[in-house]
Amino acid sequence: TLYNLQQTALDLQARTDKIVESMESQVLIERPNYDDAVALEFACAKFGRFEPSGFSRLHQALATANKWGSDVMNMFVPVPDPAVSPQEQLDAHLESVQYRLRRALALAGSGQAAPNQQPPPTPSSDMYCVCLQPEEGLMIECESCREWYHAQCLNLSSADIGERQFLCPLCVAAAKGEKLQLLEEYPALSRVGRVVEEGRNLALVTHTLDPLVTVLLDARALVPEIQKTLRDTHIVAARPRSMSVDEQSVNPAEEHSKGRAMLLRGLLRALLGLGVNLKQGLLDDLWSELLGLADGPPSETVASTAVVAVSRKEAAERQQPPRSAPVFDEFYEPSREPPVIDEFYQQQLEDLVHSIDHPPMPDTGQCLVPAINAFKETEENCVCNLYGVDLTDNLATDPAIQCDACHEYFHTTCVQVPMPVARVILLHQMQRSLNADVDADVPEEPNTYVCPGCCVKTGTLYAYGEIVIES
């Protein structure tokens, strides 16, 4: 019904006003939630007959947030899975990066500087692979260092492995005499910082910002821990709980060298699969020290024939024919363009919304617009030629009716339109502007209003008698 449409329009306007106003807040937690803004945009598009004032600002804020989310997605998930929504993939990836950072921090802090001291509890006993997580799924053992890795983390399948030997990324680099390289092109820590700052400046708060901030803070906390390990060469890996001091090597120097190499290898594995590129030469410094401590590397011949880790991009290219990567122009749900509404109809509904939100005096009739809200302040209005700024109290609250020809407003009393007739005309006018059905009990006539001036121009008889202007 028309009443329900009116109430929906009022609700959309109120929601838009609230969100647009809070978008200006300098306090992050006081800004509106992105999901609430998306829901409002779709509600307005579904309604289709009304664009609330301030809607264009909301639409622009959503477009900016979409662009930011797309940048984050492309930064962390360069090879997305088309079968999974981008948002779900990013959520899972950021959660994984957070976990790996926490494990890397635990590993960096588990070292000890006194080899003959009873070691503290350490999580290193279940830190396998580049993800530093426990045993799960298909595991493969490096033929050289005997470290275990998850095949999935190295983008390898059982078909890739077969009966061939496997060498981990560290042993492959050592055998070829190359610098150790990250498994993927992870975003640099400095870039993550810039993206977080951009996210904090958005008018809308997305739920991606919080985990991204956690990633940034944990990554920044990991840097000084690794630098501390590099500075203090006495720090070694804590001994497993199952090994007592008496069972350790009798050679302190050999024990220290093995403990140091174990810690360095663990940190290097962590950096290879961390999800963030810490830069600052940490990877190269750890690798250089490890090469000076490690035993002889495997031969380059073995490295050339062994199964080695591949990037996600290489793994994807193996599984399917070459094709262009999907482009995610919009990271979140795509925003619809604002509906195009005729200016006259939009003004009609905006006037109605305002009149319901600020109802006129009881005797002015149902849903009719008060003259003070309809008349233009700098122009003559009605047949009485009153300026909006000069309206007296009575004339200000008198109801006004709009001409369907010239769209100007007139006092119902001045143009001699009876109140019941004015209400019927208004309902028909709103029915046309909203493309809605008029209640069955509303008379079919009169359904339009033409002012005296337009009647003179067209040579037709004014429907409501002769207009007399009192001096």
Side-chain angles (χ1 to χ4, degrees), residues 353-376:
V353 169
H354 191 281
S355 67
I356 298 176
D357 204 20
H358 304 83
M361 300 298 291
D363 61 346
T364 60
Q366 177 186 2
C367 298
L368 292 176
V369 182
I372 195 171
N373 295 327
F375 286 180
K376 299 175 182 178

Side-chain angles (χ1 to χ4, degrees), residues 140-143 149 151 154-169 171-172 176 301-310 318:
I140 49 179
E141 184 185 28
C142 177
E143 294 291 336
Y149 291 80
L154 303 182
N155 303 303
L156 297 174
S157 64
S158 55
D160 295 326
I161 300 168
E163 300 298 325
R164 299 163 60 191
Q165 292 182 327
F166 163 71
L167 288 182
C168 70
C171 292
V172 170
K176 295 183 176 182
T301 302
V302 173
S304 63
T305 58
V307 178
V308 297
V310 297
R318 288 181 179 181

